[in-house]
Amino acid sequence: MLVQAAMALWRTKGYATTTVAEICTAAGVSKALFYFYFPRKEDVLFQVGVMSTQAAQRTIHDLLAKPYEITDVIAAALATFERSMARNPRELVIETILEGYRHEHRILADGSPVDLDADMFTELFTRARADGKLGADTSAEDVAHLAYLAQTLVSEGARHWAAGAFGDRSFAEVVTADITMLIDGSQHRTTHP
């Protein structure tokens, strides 16, 4: 309820001018309940990004239940993610990405372990490695790093898409091509002793 109320207000009033009290009123809850779930308004914004990522993860999970091609799964997941982004004003998408970066910085500064399952691609790349669809010498560490780099391309791609940098091209089209290039490059790398 809180996330939905916040998003509705942010779409009409904007993120910066919406207060916690307004979110609580729109959701029909007390400020105490808000702060039970979210220490700060920014944490609601971070949750919006998490929800978009989870929708993309569900798409990946569903597609891995049948025969698949890595690029097709990536394209479908990013199309899901793009639909989620497109429901919001572009400035809200940028704020969500920036809050994600701030959240990651706080985790790293606190010395907390990074949640490796918080990205879109770990399940896909782990499965692709097991199915022999990534390079034969791809290690578990390579999979984790590849998932991290792909997630970075998603975040930066979302920020650039929201800023209008892709012109007529879709977010899913551009970022799928970027991640495919990353995968291709990882399979053709040379190992240095």
Side-chain angles (χ1 to χ4, degrees):
M1 276 186 334
L2 288 166
V3 172
Q4 296 302 325
M7 289 176 65
L9 286 166
W10 293 339
R11 286 180 187 128
T12 57
K13 286 189 62 168
Y15 172 74
T17 60
T18 301
T19 66
V20 169
E22 290 170 325
I23 295 169
C24 292
T25 299
V29 301
S30 69
K31 283 175 92 173
L33 184 63
F34 178 94
Y35 287 115
F36 177 78
Y37 289 106
F38 300 105
R40 306 168 306 123
K41 178 174 87 168
E42 292 82 2
D43 293 315
V44 179
L45 187 60
F46 178 73
Q47 185 61 34
V48 170
V50 168
M51 290 167 54
S52 295
T53 299
Q54 289 171 338
Q57 287 171 326
R58 284 189 299 277
T59 297
I60 289 170
H61 183 77
D62 292 347
L63 290 172
L64 291 179
K66 50 192 167 211
Y68 69 95
E69 292 299 325
I70 296 172
T71 301
D72 295 340
V73 175
I74 292 168
L78 295 181
T80 298
F81 192 78
E82 183 171 6
R83 283 190 298 276
S84 179
M85 286 191 305
R87 290 192 294 261
N88 296 299
R90 290 185 177 228
E91 57 274 2
L92 184 59
V93 172
I94 293 170
E95 281 297 326
T96 302
I97 296 300
L98 295 176
E99 184 53 36
Y101 288 145
R102 288 188 287 269
H103 180 80
E104 181 181 20
H105 176 73
R106 286 190 298 275
I107 288 172
L108 294 172
D110 289 345
S112 302
V114 176
D115 182 3
L116 296 177
D117 294 326
D119 70 83
M120 278 182 213
F121 301 106
T122 296
E123 180 183 12
L124 171 61
F125 295 155
T126 300
R127 173 73 181 276
R129 176 179 178 246
D131 291 344
K133 292 183 182 247
L134 293 177
D137 63 342
T138 303
S139 69
E141 293 80 19
D142 293 336
V143 166
H145 192 65
L146 188 61
Y148 167 77
L149 292 173
Q151 188 63 43
T152 301
L153 289 171
V154 170
S155 296
E156 281 301 292
R159 193 170 63 83
H160 284 87
W161 171 84
F166 294 166
D168 292 340
R169 297 178 303 159
S170 76
F171 162 83
E173 172 191 349
V174 172
V175 179
T176 297
D178 291 345
I179 294 172
T180 300
M181 192 177 345
L182 173 68
I183 293 167
D184 290 347
S186 75
Q187 293 177 358
H188 294 85
R189 71 184 186 284
T190 56
T191 307
H192 299 287

